[in-house]
Amino acid sequence: MRGGGTGEVPVFGEDGFGLDEVLRAAEDAAPVESVDVVARNLEKRFSATDVSFLFVDVLGQEAVRLPQAGAAGQAYGRAERTELAGSVYDRVLRSQRLHQEEHPEGGWRLVAPVTNRGDCIGVLDMTVPYTDDTVRDAVTQAAHALAYIVVTDRRFTDLYHWGRRTTPMSLAAEIQHQLLPSAPCCEGAQFTLAGGLAPADDIGGDTYDYALNQNTLHLSITDAMGHDTASALLATLTVNALRGARRAGLGLLDQANAAHQAIARNARGMTTGQLLRVELDTGACELVNAGHPWPLRLRHGRVEELKVRVNLPFGVPSPVAYEVQRLQLEPGDRLVLITDGVVERCAAALDLPALIRGTEGDHPREVVRTLTRAVYDACGGQLADDATVLVLDWRGSISGQRRTNGGSNV
């Protein structure tokens, strides 16, 4: 997406149109064109030029510039790509702050994060002839509006899916990505959550999932046996059985039994998994472990495995009895859930506790990037098994935060 700009003096106030008009205009446009509405808005209001939207690719390694509306059909495979590491885009995504620098040909370059509830979709890049707090605030708001537009419109077109793919996607990976949440990150008043997996273009068995309801947060991480299309189909049974039970209002024990029965009745194979249910008001956490690696907890600078009791995997051809165990989250806790690929074979040499301690101050999405990248590099880019990481930061209940900050407990 690029805008041509008018070269006129910046337009403010009623001469431009506000974000409500932007959203209405985007709704009236075709899904593949609605992003350009934001560019035209910025051109009209601030004489912005070279307005571009760049995706973060599915591997989290490159920024991919979205082509102009109408050009996507001819642009597949020829999108402009920029290495993220060390780039201004990477700095903006990590800091989640607007970047400003002088443009070599005059004016100012502005780069803003396009993020929705912690989900880093990409960046908005442009040049403006003049900048002040009004311009910077407007660009930040436009980028936020763009996040909502992309989240809405990617349901109706492949353009935004194509924009994130810089390598071929295997059939197993195609199936797996349909099982993942539409956003890899979620932020609430009490928590921040992020998940990711590697290799993102050739996965076949691992999944993570979450659902934020009124008073509870549900989490799951699963690992279906194998590493091919058959394991992706096994994962499909597992995830949809868990979601079906969860959406029916059933508890963890019934969710676990639903996954076990779905596999036992419809497939050959098994899936390890870990299910969690967190009470948002108290931090009380229920957990079911079905043959899965133990969770790791970072608390007060110390990383430890939570050695919960381990039940049999879902679908194993033996009588099973799952049990619900209980944990108590404290404000400041970080939970890290992993699959076998993070600790097996070539990745076994990684000092996982040290990596977790070393990223203590980072946002969960950066922790996921660091851990999955470390596994990928340790294996020379040739992972024998999928490596999946789910990170939960717990800030505490809203009432607890008020007490900590000196406020009243309403």
Side-chain angles (χ1 to χ4, degrees), residues 100-109:
Q100 172 182 306
E101 63 183 39
E102 289 190 56
H103 194 281
E105 298 179 5
W108 297 87
R109 182 190 185 192

Side-chain angles (χ1 to χ4, degrees), residues 172 175-180 203-208 222-226 228-243 259 262-263 267-272 314 386:
I175 295 171
Q176 290 291 114
H177 278 284
Q178 301 310 308
L179 300 176
L180 300 179
I203 52 177
D206 281 14
T207 70
Y208 66 87
T222 61
D223 182 359
M225 181 179 68
D228 52 19
T229 305
S231 64
L233 296 175
L234 189 60
T236 301
L237 281 173
T238 307
V239 170
N240 284 288
L242 290 173
R243 284 176 176 166
I263 297 172
R268 291 183 178 180
M270 60 184 182
T271 300
T272 70
F314 304 131
D386 303 339

Side-chain angles (χ1 to χ4, degrees), residues 81-93:
R81 292 153 58 172
T82 302
E83 185 74 22
L84 266 183
S87 70
V88 63
Y89 303 134
D90 194 32
R91 293 197 298 274
V92 168
L93 290 168

Side-chain angles (χ1 to χ4, degrees), residues 136-217:
R136 288 187 288 268
D137 289 345
V139 169
T140 299
Q141 292 176 31
H144 192 57
L146 179 56
Y148 281 93
I149 292 170
V150 173
V151 167
T152 298
D153 284 351
R154 66 187 176 189
R155 298 175 298 167
F156 308 115
T157 174
D158 282 338
L159 176 62
Y160 304 117
H161 299 284
W162 163 80
R164 299 188 63 227
R165 299 184 180 195
T166 52
T167 59
M169 190 79 67
S170 69
L171 176 58
E174 192 71 57
I175 295 171
Q176 290 291 114
H177 278 284
Q178 301 310 308
L179 300 176
L180 300 179
S182 59
C185 183
C186 181
E187 294 182 340
Q190 304 90 344
F191 71 92
T192 300
L193 169 71
L197 61 173
D201 55 351
D202 191 29
I203 52 177
D206 281 14
T207 70
Y208 66 87
D209 197 17
Y210 66 83
L212 175 60
N213 296 329
Q214 187 172 14
N215 299 310
T216 57
L217 173 66

Side-chain angles (χ1 to χ4, degrees), residues 20-31 33-35 37-38 40 145 149 153:
D20 53 343
E21 284 83 3
V22 173
L23 295 174
R24 282 199 295 271
E27 190 173 61
D28 291 338
E33 298 175 354
S34 57
V35 177
V37 170
V38 176
R40 291 193 291 271
I149 292 170
D153 284 351

